[in-house]
Amino acid sequence: MSSDSITNMEENRELGISIIIPLYNVEEVILETLESIQEQTFNMYEVIMIDDGSTDRTTEIVNQYIQDKPNFRLYSQPNGGPASARNHGLRIADRMYICFVDSDDILPNYSLQLMYEAAISTGSKLITGATKRFNSNSEWFIPMHIKHNIAKPGMKTLLKNPELFFSIGPCAKLYHHSLIDGVFFPENIRYGEDQPFVLHALLQAEEIYTVEKVVYYYRLRDGESQSLTQSVNKDPIRILKSVFQIFDYGEIELEKNNTEYEVALKYYQRVASIELWGALRAAIESKKSENQEIALTMTLDWFKSKSDDFLNIISSFRYFLLYSCIERVRYITKDNKDNYRKLIAYLWSRQDNEAKKAFQKAYPIHMNAALQIIDANNWRSARKISLKFIIRRKLKAPILIRKVSRRIIFTIASWMPRKKNQIILATERGTRLEGNLLAIYDYLFYKDMPQKVYVFLRKNRNWFEMFQLHYALGRAQTIVLDDYYNKIYGLKFNKKTHVIQSWHATGAFKKFGFSSLEGTDANTEEFETRAHSSYTDVLVSSEGIISEYADAFRKQENQIKPIGVPRTDMFFDEEYTSYVKEKYYKKYPQLRDKKILLYAPTFRGGPNERFNYSVVLDIAKMKESLGETHILILKFHPVIKNVSFNVEKDDPFILNLSINHDINDLMLFSDALITDYSSVIFEFSLMNRPMYFFAYDIDDYLDERGFYFDYKTMIPGAIFKETMPLIQAIQEEVYDYAGLDEFKKKFVGSLDGQSTKRFVETYVENADKEVTK
């Protein structure tokens, strides 16, 4: 393109960003996406929405939302898929930069400004940032992005940073129009259609700049799978066809750009190891003859269209077909054995001598089994390998493997020198990072600290993963937990290893650990000993509860560290608080002019009572007395189902935010808390706002539970057994703030918004200090 043409294009484009959003049947979530754009601190943008033939109320909702927003425009087209919709948007866009947003995702309010300013200041034509997944319960970094350190900020090139290929979706990026003018998404691909487009942009951008914050949140709707393999299982053949098209587009693009060999190879290996193998494996493991026949013959035909160089440089072809498939030959149906034999025979015949020798040296047993199939149609060795593989897979981590892993691998690793600049975050609470561990991870990430972070979440591990886990635990210098963690029960760590229990709760309320041994549902003393003996340090929220935590974990008091609770730093983040308030005020305008009461009771009773929960608080009476001045937010415990109360569910006095709303966020803008025995009182005390305790069943409840302190004297507020006295106290604004101050000194005295910083200074930056046990 001539310099005159480029100059003309620049002159015809406005400054700012064109945001392109394809829409299809997103009536439930589209408003949240649009509001996240409307709330941006950057306002030089246009929003181009392309409705791709929605059959629900999407267009009606969008039209109503944008009627007073001239920079939001909606266009419609017959259903053609996301590629077609994005291409429609590209033809309309006239701003200097392009940004793609999917219709169910979210942008933090600083995203556009941060990326735009980075583009202007660095001159880079492609800007990227960190991304997170989220659903109704939590948010988390994408594991593959963590593994490849994709979000590390700074200037990058594909040659130096080929890990960029592991974030090849179109979103969470800002493109200068010159990178993509005249380039469109291929509309004949229905899976991975965005890869050729993004690959083109990556190859065209001489330098790529990654900003230092999360700029995009990908929604994972409840019930959706997080696993590529699981989603591929639904239709492996359709996806396999698309994968071959992705390869073909990529090959053309790489050759057209005279791409360096190392860069091209990294891209090929990425597509082969993730998309191609994912679809091929799903077809084989389906055990369906038709799937296997189409997959194997289609792969063979595709190989026949490729050059020797192509089939040789991509080692993944050899590995997956001659190693991984050998381990799965027992899944291959009888009528597809010849198809598999033809495929591997053809691939092997196209390999040069160097590639053959290297593979045979690396995988002699599997290659010998493959050659027996190729040369003599002898499947005996392959079937033996496959049987061992299937047994290992089904058993996952049998008792013998766990014993070897703990007693041998861990012990040997614990004798070795400590791994410097490394920290392990481990939890059995869930499959995503959250709470204290997430706060620590985010701090290290945003501060761009050099420490390598290993994250171990709850999962079923095979023998190799179990060995990896115990080797890492044995070599580690700093290990952080947030609850009981059975992988370390009874282990004896190196004396230079910090094993830190950050605990998931704040304050000291209901007894746990050794303190609860006398309870009816308590663990045994032997169990608690195995569970807690490895800890070198325990984090707490105040000096005032050191003795209680020392008792709960049977530690010396000097091992209980009142440096604070990392996850509570958010309560002191004024920017985040303002963002949350404005977010809720925009979504629920009725909150703006009323005082907000947050009702958050704990659960009680047996399973039947929790499944059919009847609210004792007289909400109708509260409405009658407080309806003109207050609004009541309801936030019930997640285990409580089928809640009933004595006003209509859509009554304007109440706002039921029990589902899909974080109680920590709700506390940030509530004027007062009504609760009973919930530990949220510790976090809410940080707000310096009134708390009222509607504990109508106090006598029965206290008989069933063990508390560290006398409940009636410890809580920072009055106890109410009936609704009317509670209403009067709220109206009269009667509250003991002096008592609240005493409560805070006792239970949360160390919480000041700097807990994570103190943790990092103590256990990361000064991790070489010897542990005192």
Side-chain angles (χ1 to χ4, degrees), residues 608-664:
N608 185 61
E609 185 177 352
R610 298 175 192 176
F611 190 77
N612 297 283
Y613 182 72
S614 180
V615 177
V616 175
L617 183 69
D618 191 337
I619 297 179
K621 189 173 291 185
M622 293 191 71
K623 174 188 176 181
E624 181 182 345
S625 303
L626 302 171
E628 295 296 321
T629 54
H630 292 73
I631 191 168
L632 183 68
I633 291 180
L634 305 177
K635 178 62 176 174
F636 298 109
H637 194 280
V639 303
I640 293 176
K641 308 296 181 185
N642 302 319
V643 181
S644 60
F645 34 80
N646 60 352
V647 299
E648 295 296 325
K649 294 185 182 298
D650 58 353
D651 192 290
F653 174 66
I654 63 170
L655 189 58
N656 192 348
L657 301 181
S658 296
I659 301 175
N660 302 342
H661 294 269
D662 188 340
I663 191 169
N664 292 323

Side-chain angles (χ1 to χ4, degrees), residues 81-147:
S84 172
R86 291 191 183 112
N87 289 341
H88 191 162
L90 283 169
R91 294 184 181 98
I92 297 170
D94 63 2
R95 299 295 175 100
M96 197 69 69
Y97 292 89
I98 306 294
C99 176
F100 296 100
V101 177
D102 285 344
S103 54
D104 54 354
D105 296 337
I106 300 294
L107 297 182
N109 68 337
Y110 54 77
S111 289
L112 296 181
Q113 183 168 350
L114 181 64
M115 291 194 290
Y116 189 82
E117 289 178 351
I120 300 303
S121 63
T122 66
S124 176
K125 294 186 176 181
L126 181 56
I127 306 296
T128 69
T131 61
K132 277 187 172 182
R133 284 279 195 188
F134 77 101
N135 61 14
S136 61
N137 297 314
S138 61
E139 60 185 51
W140 63 97
F141 283 101
I142 299 170
M144 187 176 294
H145 290 189
I146 296 175
K147 177 180 178 181

